[in-house]
Amino acid sequence: VLLSDAVCSEWGQHVPPALFNECDAIGREPYEEVLAFMEDWSNIPPITCSVGEAERYQARVTGFKTIQLGRRMSYEILRRFGILEEQDQLALPLRRLREQWLLEGIKAAWEEDPTDATMRSEE
């Protein structure tokens, strides 16, 4: 999904239209599933929900088997719900917090298992 997002977001003007459309379809498959779930407000438990309701919600969300929709689809879903912040002066501090959170996660994964090939840098 992330590679399809990169093709459509970054390289769309450099790939044949058929490849762009194929990559777009790959990204839209999980997007459509997540969107349909989120649009149905009965799927979203209230903040005061029971532990069981929260666990059911968590099971449904993790059941998508989708780690990330990719930047393009994430923007599209946020825009569709009217919650996309497009002013850089408001979005940048949140983006920096997200980047810090990701770096901390990568560092923790490296410290847990420095032999993991996914954590190796090219030397």
Side-chain angles (χ1 to χ4, degrees):
V1 171
L2 292 179
L3 182 57
S4 73
D5 181 69
V7 168
C8 293
S9 298
E10 309 292 331
W11 310 318
Q13 68 275 19
H14 303 291
V15 298
L19 179 58
F20 180 93
N21 292 339
E22 185 178 338
C23 289
D24 183 60
I26 290 168
R28 288 197 182 278
E29 185 179 325
Y31 167 81
E32 296 295 338
E33 185 180 12
V34 170
L35 179 64
F37 176 79
M38 298 299 248
E39 283 182 322
D40 182 353
W41 285 95
S42 68
N43 290 324
I44 314 299
I47 299 242
T48 59
C49 70
S50 69
V51 171
E53 288 175 296
E55 288 172 347
R56 278 190 295 283
Y57 174 78
Q58 181 180 14
R60 291 284 309 275
V61 170
T62 57
F64 292 133
K65 304 279 190 241
T66 300
I67 296 171
Q68 182 180 352
L69 292 173
R71 184 180 196 123
R72 187 173 65 98
M73 294 286 99
S74 295
Y75 275 35
E76 190 171 310
I77 204 167
L78 292 171
R79 191 174 288 115
R80 187 143 179 186
F81 286 120
I83 57 174
L84 177 64
E85 182 51 69
E86 298 193 57
Q87 296 181 35
D88 281 340
Q89 69 270 22
L90 297 174
L92 284 176
L94 296 174
R95 197 168 294 139
R96 286 187 190 107
L97 288 172
R98 177 182 173 273
E99 289 168 0
Q100 179 182 350
W101 172 76
L102 287 170
L103 288 172
E104 288 171 0
I106 291 169
K107 182 181 176 191
W110 172 260
E111 289 171 353
E112 185 175 317
D113 184 4
T115 64
D116 184 344
T118 62
M119 293 295 162
R120 289 190 182 159
S121 64
E122 295 297 319
E123 297 181 40

